[in-house]
Structures are given as structure tokens and as C-alpha cells.
Amino acid sequence: METVLSKPRLSKRILEMKESSTLKMAALSRALKAEGHNVISLSLGEPDFDTPEHIKVAAKQAIDDNFSHYTPVPGYLDLREAISHKFKRDNKVDYSPAQIVVSTGAKQTLANLMLCLLNEGDEVILPIPYWVSYEAQVILAGATVNSIPTSVDTDFKITAAQLEEAINENTKVFLFSSPCNPSGSVYLKEELEALADVLAKHPQIVVVADEIYEHINFTDGHFSIAQLPQLKDRVVTVNGLSKGFAMTGWRLGYMGAPLDIAKACSKMQGQFTSATCSITQRAAIVALGDNLEPTFKMKEAFKQRRALMIELLSDMPGVKINEPEGAFYIFPDFSAFVGKKAGDTVIESVDQLCMHILNTAHVALVAGAGFGNPECMRISYANSEENLREAMARMKKCLSELS
Ligand code: PMP
Ligand code: GLU
């Protein structure tokens, strides 16, 4: 006899949580590939390069040296010293090793932060487009998102006036990424100064700067908001190895934070994952050392691909683009195609268009709705030039067949 439960088995928390749209598209494209289709996946944001050799050597050595035990919860001290040095060297900010927590990817760093900073009723300001997991994590922590709109015409960047207008007495956190996932936008020093001047007037707000794409920045240089004196002791800088060092599977993220926040996140992590992998941590010390040559080479390759993507997308009527300044994403506006027909079916949203492109052209992208902008789609160009050309040719044909 079937047992009828009076309450759902699963928690409200998980039932109400949105699935990660980036991971969902990656899974859909893997499933289509498994059926034998030639799918080009420009959905998942991860470098297509291999981890640099000197980092792999360090990991192998760590295994041989028996780094096989639990590590301190916030990470090995010598790794936190290396990160402290990195923050000084690259970002000109001072975070002592006690202010650093290493986690299982920057995703966990962010989850720790949201769970440690937010109560019910608190608001987090997110400029649109934002990375998909920010929204899910804020909601999981019981808080709400207060988003600020932008568009392709303003390079997807907010102004100081927009920020000022969005702030209210419930605002607890301002969270943004620069270079931005999904738009590739980079906030320049003057723009960050203008935002910081506004934030300085509201001391209850903690600024969380996600700089995981720091090394994939095509402007004159990366500038960290934590450098600005008006925000002293209020900025958490999040970073990780996934993007700049092609180490997505190794799972290491970290943050520099005011001491009370660092201690809280370490306590939280102590109840969830204890710490990230010991071998990855040993390799991270080497990754964050002074040999950044492979990282610079990857950046150059991404820069060339960006030029290629701009050229190919500029040649597609109806697709509106800007010039992204970093990361390996471009976030074109496809709203001109909404209302067109594929055969007898009306394309009612960019979401639907994204699925149509996947199912007919076998090109996987991520619809913008998950990033807060339902008019755009994210294209990850962390792929070979050959695949990018083929994918864009297929997409162009697919779009031109809409009537
Ligand atoms: N922040 C941003 C903006 C990202 O794009 C990602 C992953 N792509 C992360 C954080 C998390 O990275 P990871 O967990 O791999 O360190
Ligand atoms: N962050 C990457 C992306 O945006 C990887 C997938 C994920 O963690 O969401 O595609």
C-alpha cells in the first residue's frame, strides 16, 4: 500500500531553490552528446586549458609527501601566508593570514559569507546581470535580492546614482563580480571610487567583491575595491584558482575579510566541509607563487577569442553586443528574436530561443533569465577557435531561419 505523507519529504528550502542554470545547460548538452549529437557547449564557464605543469608537479609531490590528513579548517597556514602575499602583490591590499579562509571553491566561500552575514529581512544588492548562484545563496540564507538593472547600452554597469537609490535600511551586503560573470564587464578605478563614495555613507553594508576573473582582464589592470580607504575594514575580497589557473575541478576558493567575518566563515565551514582538499591546498601555494606565465598566456588566448566572437556576432542581424573587457563571456541581447517563428512555433522568450538553438543547432548557451536579464544569453568563449567558428555559423543559420 502506498504511504501518503502529510508533509513533503523534502525541505521547503530545497523545493524552493532554483537549479543552477549554468550547470543545467551543461547537463543538457552532455545528455544530447550522449545521444550521439555533435553538440558544441558554450554553456559552462570553465577554461578549456589544462592546469599548468608546475602546479600538477606540486600536487603529485604533496601526495608522495603524505599530505593526507585533515587540514586546519581555514586552510594550511603557509597557504594563507601565500594568499596574504598574493593580495599585497597583485591587489595592494592587506589581509593577514588570520583574515583569510580557504574553501571548496569560491562557490563555498560565497555560501559561507551569505550564511554568516544575512538574517531574514536583510537585503543584498546585486547589479544585473549577476552570477546565478548569488541569488540562490541569498535566498537560502533567508534574505532577499534587491537588483539593479543595466543593459547592453551601458556595458551592463551600474552608476553610483543607481546604487544610492537602491540602498535602504535593510541593505546588508553589496555583492558584485568584476570582471563580471556573465557580462565580462570590468569596473574601472574611477567607477569603483564613485560606488565606494556612496557605500561609505552606509556603514552597515558589507561589500563583497568577487574577483575570481581577476587574471582575465583586458583593461590596463585589475583594480580591487578593497584598496579604497573609504571602505576600510568593510570589504571581503573573494577569489579562487578555477579561472586564472584552469583548476575548476580542484575546488579551491578563498577570501580576505575583516577578522570577525573570517572567523565566522571558518566556524561555518567547520560544520560543513571541514576544509578543502589537502593536495589542492599544497598545489595552491605553488599556483599563487610568482610563475604567472601560463596564466598570462591563457589570458592572451581569451583576448584573441574575444576579438573573434565580436567579429562573428557583429555579423548576425538582430544580435546586439557590447565589447566585454574581461572573463571569457559575452552577453548579447537577443530580444529582437522574441515573437518570431520557428516553423509554426512562436518563440515567446529568449529562454525558449536558447532551447531552440540547443535542439536545432546543437549549440549550448545559457539563457539570461538566471542571471537576472531575460533579454540576453551568455556565451562562454572558453573553447577552441575552430569550435567557436562552427558554433557561431550554426547559430547564425538557426537565427536566420526564424521568420
Ligand atoms: N564566482 C563567479 C563569478 C564564478 O563565475 C564562479 C564559477 N564560475 C564562481 C564564483 C565559483 O567558482 P569556483 O567555485 O569554481 O571557485
Ligand atoms: N561558474 C561557472 C559558470 O558560471 C561554472 C558553473 C557554475 O559553477 O555555475 O558557468
Side-chain angles (χ1 to χ4, degrees):
M1 207 175 74
E2 200 185 321
T3 316
V4 180
L5 301 173
S6 58
K7 287 184 185 171
R9 187 203 291 269
L10 299 178
S11 69
K12 197 164 157 280
R13 190 180 301 121
I14 191 65
L15 290 173
E16 288 177 359
M17 184 189 274
K18 279 192 205 162
E19 188 179 352
S20 161
S21 50
T22 50
L23 299 182
K24 186 171 146 199
M25 279 311 279
L28 280 178
S29 76
R30 276 191 207 115
L32 264 185
K33 264 187 204 163
E35 283 173 22
H37 296 290
N38 170 7
V39 180
I40 302 178
S41 180
L42 308 182
S43 58
L44 200 58
E46 66 171 334
D48 54 322
F49 298 104
D50 293 326
T51 302
E53 211 47 45
H54 66 294
I55 304 174
K56 295 200 280 195
V57 169
K60 290 175 201 167
Q61 188 62 48
I63 294 175
D64 288 342
D65 291 346
N66 295 308
F67 280 96
S68 50
H69 297 274
Y70 285 129
T71 80
V73 173
Y76 288 121
L77 178 60
D78 54 352
L79 170 56
R80 284 180 288 125
E81 283 166 350
I83 293 171
S84 174
H85 172 74
K86 175 257 172 281
F87 273 130
K88 253 193 216 90
R89 179 193 68 193
D90 299 342
N91 312 106
K92 299 177 187 61
V93 290
D94 283 315
Y95 289 113
S96 71
Q99 293 177 279
I100 289 162
V101 179
V102 179
S103 301
T104 309
K107 203 177 243 182
Q108 189 191 15
T109 304
L110 289 158
N112 285 340
L113 279 166
M114 296 308 121
L115 292 172
C116 289
L117 291 172
L118 300 172
N119 286 315
E120 222 158 281
D122 289 339
E123 283 186 11
V124 176
I125 295 185
L126 298 182
I128 294 175
Y130 44 77
W131 182 46
V132 290
S133 295
Y134 294 166
E135 186 191 27
Q137 293 184 356
V138 168
I139 294 169
L140 180 68
T144 51
V145 166
N146 178 359
S147 56
I148 304 180
T150 63
S151 78
V152 67
D153 301 316
T154 53
D155 276 332
F156 299 107
K157 288 197 255 186
I158 60 162
T159 61
Q162 281 180 295
L163 179 60
E164 181 83 74
E165 206 184 317
I167 292 173
N168 63 53
E169 76 270 15
N170 296 322
T171 309
K172 187 72 188 290
V173 171
F174 173 60
L175 165 57
F176 73 109
S177 61
S178 175
C180 173
N181 177 4
S183 66
S185 301
V186 172
Y187 283 91
L188 303 176
K189 181 174 180 224
E190 313 76 77
E191 293 164 336
L192 290 173
E193 275 168 345
L195 298 181
D197 287 343
V198 171
L199 292 159
K201 292 187 259 170
H202 304 275
Q204 85 279 12
I205 302 176
V206 175
V207 178
V208 179
D210 182 345
E211 303 189 352
I212 197 161
Y213 295 94
E214 168 187 22
H215 289 301
I216 312 169
N217 183 334
F218 314 128
T219 67
D220 288 342
H222 178 80
F223 186 85
S224 294
I225 196 168
Q227 274 186 51
L228 296 173
Q230 59 270 53
L231 294 179
K232 192 165 165 32
D233 294 330
R234 286 178 46 198
V235 180
V236 180
T237 307
V238 175
N239 211 321
L241 301 187
S242 286
K243 315 296 168 170
F245 301 89
M247 292 176 71
T248 46
W250 296 62
R251 308 311 299 131
L252 192 139
Y254 60 86
M255 65 170 192
L259 193 58
D260 58 331
I261 299 179
K263 280 186 176 162
C265 287
S266 185
K267 181 176 167 191
M268 180 67 70
Q269 180 159 295
Q271 296 287 24
F272 277 80
T273 53
S274 300
T276 195
C277 168
S278 54
I279 310 302
T280 297
Q281 289 191 46
R282 300 316 299 166
I285 296 175
V286 173
L288 295 169
D290 291 334
N291 182 3
L292 293 175
E293 208 45 48
T295 294
F296 294 148
K297 276 202 183 125
M298 289 189 258
K299 174 180 134 178
E300 279 315 305
F302 289 132
K303 196 172 172 189
Q304 282 175 23
R305 293 170 189 180
R306 173 187 67 159
L308 175 68
M309 291 303 282
I310 290 173
E311 178 198 321
L312 298 174
L313 286 160
S314 301
D315 192 33
M316 283 185 217
V319 178
K320 199 168 169 190
I321 58 166
N322 70 331
E323 186 165 314
E325 298 280 20
F328 35 64
Y329 307 111
I330 186 159
F331 198 56
D333 184 314
F334 285 86
S335 54
F337 297 92
V338 175
K340 291 201 171 200
K341 278 180 159 181
D344 289 338
T345 313
V346 178
I347 302 281
E348 277 166 3
S349 63
V350 171
D351 239 358
Q352 198 180 331
L353 180 62
C354 187
M355 290 313 294
H356 178 68
I357 292 172
L358 176 65
N359 290 321
T360 57
H362 295 148
V363 174
L365 311 175
V366 185
F371 303 99
N373 180 331
E375 303 193 320
C376 296
M377 274 192 248
R378 188 188 77 175
I379 306 178
S380 164
Y381 56 83
N383 213 313
S384 67
E385 191 177 317
E386 189 190 349
N387 278 347
L388 293 175
R389 283 189 187 279
E390 169 66 17
M392 291 303 100
R394 288 189 203 174
M395 190 169 93
K396 185 175 180 188
K397 178 166 177 291
C398 174
L399 293 174
S400 70
E401 284 166 359
L402 299 175
S403 53

